[in-house]
C-alpha cells in the first residue's frame, strides 16, 4: 500500500509522521537526512465503526542523526548545569 505510512524515530519511538503517503514519508526522511533502519507492515483490526476488517500500517523506523545530536547536546547541557548549581548539595535553591 502506498498510504497509511508512519515515520518513527528508531531511537526514541517518537512518531514524526502518521498516516501519510509512502512518497511523502520518503521526502520527509530525505529532508531530515534520516537513514532508514527497518520497515514493517502491521495489520491493524478496524472497529465496527470503521467497517470492520483489517488495514495495513507501514512503519518506517528511521535514524535521524541531527535529532540524536540535539538530544546528546541537551543531555550534556543538563549535566553541566547540574554540576554548576550543585543540586545534590542544595545549590540552586531559593532562600527567604
Amino acid at each position: 500500500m502506498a498510504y497509511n505510512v508512519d515515520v518513527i524515530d528508531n531511537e526514541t519511538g517518537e512518531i514524526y509522521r502518521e498516516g501519510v503517503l509512502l512518497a511523502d514519508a520518503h521526502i520527509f526522511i530525505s529532508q531530515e537526512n534520516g537513514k532508514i533502519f527497518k520497515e514493517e507492515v502491521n495489520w491493524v483490526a478496524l472497529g465496527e465503526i470503521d467497517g470492520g476488517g483489517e488495514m495495513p500500517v507501514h512503519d518506517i523506523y528511521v535514524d535521524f542523526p541531527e535529532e540524536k545530536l540535539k538530544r546528546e547536546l541537551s543531555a550534556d547541557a543538563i549535566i553541566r548545569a547540574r554540576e554548576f548549581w550543585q543540586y545534590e548539595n542544595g545549590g540552586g535553591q531559593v532562600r527567604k
Side-chain angles (χ1 to χ4, degrees):
M1 290 252 155
Y3 61 91
N4 214 14
V5 177
D6 296 346
V7 178
I8 304 168
D9 186 311
N10 185 51
E11 187 173 331
T12 66
E14 182 178 353
I15 299 173
Y16 285 103
R17 293 290 184 270
E18 186 173 12
V20 299
L21 295 172
L22 183 59
D24 291 335
H26 282 281
I27 290 169
F28 172 75
I29 293 166
S30 176
Q31 288 174 338
E32 297 295 321
N33 297 320
K35 307 287 184 247
I36 296 175
F37 177 75
K38 71 177 177 177
E39 298 184 45
E40 295 178 347
V41 176
N42 301 304
W43 289 86
V44 178
L46 300 174
E48 288 183 28
I49 197 164
D50 295 320
E54 292 184 325
M55 174 180 69
V57 176
H58 187 143
D59 294 333
I60 303 177
Y61 292 87
V62 182
D63 290 317
F64 292 101
E66 293 173 12
E67 291 299 316
K68 183 175 182 176
L69 178 61
K70 288 178 191 175
R71 286 191 295 272
E72 289 171 354
L73 291 174
S74 177
D76 185 51
I78 291 169
I79 290 169
R80 284 184 287 133
R82 183 181 302 134
E83 290 170 353
F84 176 81
W85 289 107
Q86 299 180 6
Y87 292 129
E88 294 81 16
N89 299 324
Q93 305 276 333
V94 176
R95 297 187 186 2
K96 292 185 179 185

